Amino acid sequence: MAGSKKNDVISIASPHSIKKFELISEYVKSWVQIIMQIEKCKGIVYIDCMSNSGVYQTEEGEEIEGTALRVSKIIADAMNTYAKKQAYLYFNDLQSEKIDLLSTRLPKQTDNFHIYTDVMDASVMLKKIASQFKSTFEGMHFLLVYDPYDAHIDWEALDPFLKNWGEVIINHMVSDTIRAAKTAKKPEVVKKYEDTYKMTINDLISVGSDRNAYETIIEKIITDSTGRKEGDYHIAVFPFFNSNNAVVYNLLHCTRHKRGFELFKSTAWKIFGDRSSMKNTHNSENQMQLCFGKDGNIMYETPEDDSCYNLRDAALYIHRHFRGKKDVPNMEVWNYLGQHPVFPTEGYLNKIKRILKEEFDMKTSRSSMTFSDRSY
């Protein structure tokens, strides 16, 4: 019984979960430094409303720290530097045993570093925090991590955070929808899917198993919720794969903060080893294939995989848009790339420019680029 009880509190972390821990914590490490240096910002509020116990085991039995513990230590350390600003951290889980364990591992609070733990429904917690926006958190910058165990997303609870000047990371458990929505019978299960995608279960079933279609639906709901014009809100999307090379979930980073958008994308690419996911591509991204061009001529091309881009794909994306154009200002090129929901800019411009020159015959000057007219 004791072993079973421990397993209920300390979950097994699969490789894709560990990558998620790394991505979010590495992002926070840079994010907190950027935000704290904004003069008008009074501090940060970090919320993990589905935090688990903060402690996990790898599949090999090694104990590791999850997002909650990694992030809390990163922020605690940062607050030693920013003594005049405040940090409020909120952790919550439905199981009191998990919060009890998490509480024993969290760093000590200080005059400017505060931690609150709760055991309640995540939606209740978010509505409670949202009610304090004006009274307690005026001038604070938010980062909310919304990480459910299935496809359910409570948009009413998320809405104030999507509208606020802050950032939201959402785990969209698309594998749950693809696998189970078509067989959902119980009213509460049907309602879960209908509430998440804001459409009837029959319309949802008609989408089939198209992962990208489900993602498009979610992104539109987010954009509509913000009330922002096109280009004023940014959503970065990265898929996470299991050992069978199937997508388990998509991690979405949502923000009005363009620097945060760029930072999250570049952080993801670094975590994935200069790619956009941990998918096992079996090196197919480096293999040339024969195909027929529009004019009927046989040509070679390198296959593209939108679930696991590489830096050559980013260069090709640029070339196709600016093909044949001369003396395009550097800033125009990088701004175009920066709008993409996956391709990185921060820390990657020199690498991408090198590929453009070596593989796509792009000519460069100090302030501009000239693109060949060749089709790739």
Side-chain angles (χ1 to χ4, degrees), residues 127-151:
K127 291 173 182 177
K128 176 182 175 183
I129 295 174
S131 69
Q132 299 175 294
F133 275 172
K134 292 185 178 180
S135 61
T136 306
F137 302 128
E138 187 75 31
M140 308 288 283
H141 194 100
F142 287 81
L143 175 57
L144 163 62
V145 176
Y146 190 87
D147 191 3
Y149 299 108
D150 57 21

Side-chain angles (χ1 to χ4, degrees), residues 66-237:
T67 307
L69 287 180
R70 296 182 190 210
V71 167
S72 61
K73 292 179 180 180
I74 289 169
I75 297 178
D77 183 61
M79 297 313 294
N80 291 324
T81 303
Y82 302 102
K84 294 182 179 180
K85 299 198 175 186
Q86 296 290 321
Y88 298 89
L89 280 62
Y90 290 83
F91 298 108
N92 174 72
D93 197 272
L94 280 174
Q95 287 186 242
S96 59
E97 295 85 359
K98 291 185 176 183
I99 289 299
D100 288 343
L101 177 56
L102 174 63
S103 299
T104 65
R105 304 288 187 97
L106 290 169
K108 292 182 179 180
Q109 300 190 59
T110 65
D111 290 341
N112 71 334
F113 176 73
H114 317 277
I115 298 178
Y116 301 92
T117 59
D118 270 310
V119 179
M120 62 175 66
D121 182 84
S123 298
V124 174
M125 179 189 192
L126 293 181
K127 291 173 182 177
K128 176 182 175 183
I129 295 174
S131 69
Q132 299 175 294
F133 275 172
K134 292 185 178 180
S135 61
T136 306
F137 302 128
E138 187 75 31
M140 308 288 283
H141 194 100
F142 287 81
L143 175 57
L144 163 62
V145 176
Y146 190 87
D147 191 3
Y149 299 108
D150 57 21
H152 183 235
I153 299 175
D154 186 341
W155 295 111
E156 182 183 355
L158 285 177
D159 188 66
F161 297 90
L162 292 171
K163 284 183 168 63
N164 201 280
W165 179 258
E167 301 172 43
V168 181
I169 296 175
I170 300 174
N171 183 340
H172 173 210
M173 193 69 71
V174 67
S175 60
D176 173 26
T177 308
I178 293 174
R179 182 186 69 252
K182 58 182 177 291
T183 59
K185 300 297 181 185
K186 294 181 179 179
E188 63 271 22
V189 178
V190 170
K191 187 176 187 302
K192 174 186 78 172
Y193 293 116
E194 291 185 335
D195 288 351
T196 295
Y197 296 95
K198 295 192 175 183
M199 61 196 320
T200 67
I201 193 66
N202 289 331
D203 287 341
L204 192 62
I205 291 172
S206 69
V207 177
S209 58
D210 188 341
R211 175 180 66 86
N212 290 329
Y214 289 115
E215 198 55 62
T216 298
I217 294 168
I218 292 295
E219 290 179 41
K220 187 178 186 307
I221 293 171
I222 293 170
T223 303
D224 290 346
S225 296
T226 65
R228 309 295 295 180
K229 297 179 181 178
E230 185 176 352
D232 287 346
Y233 200 81
H234 312 283
I235 304 174
V237 185

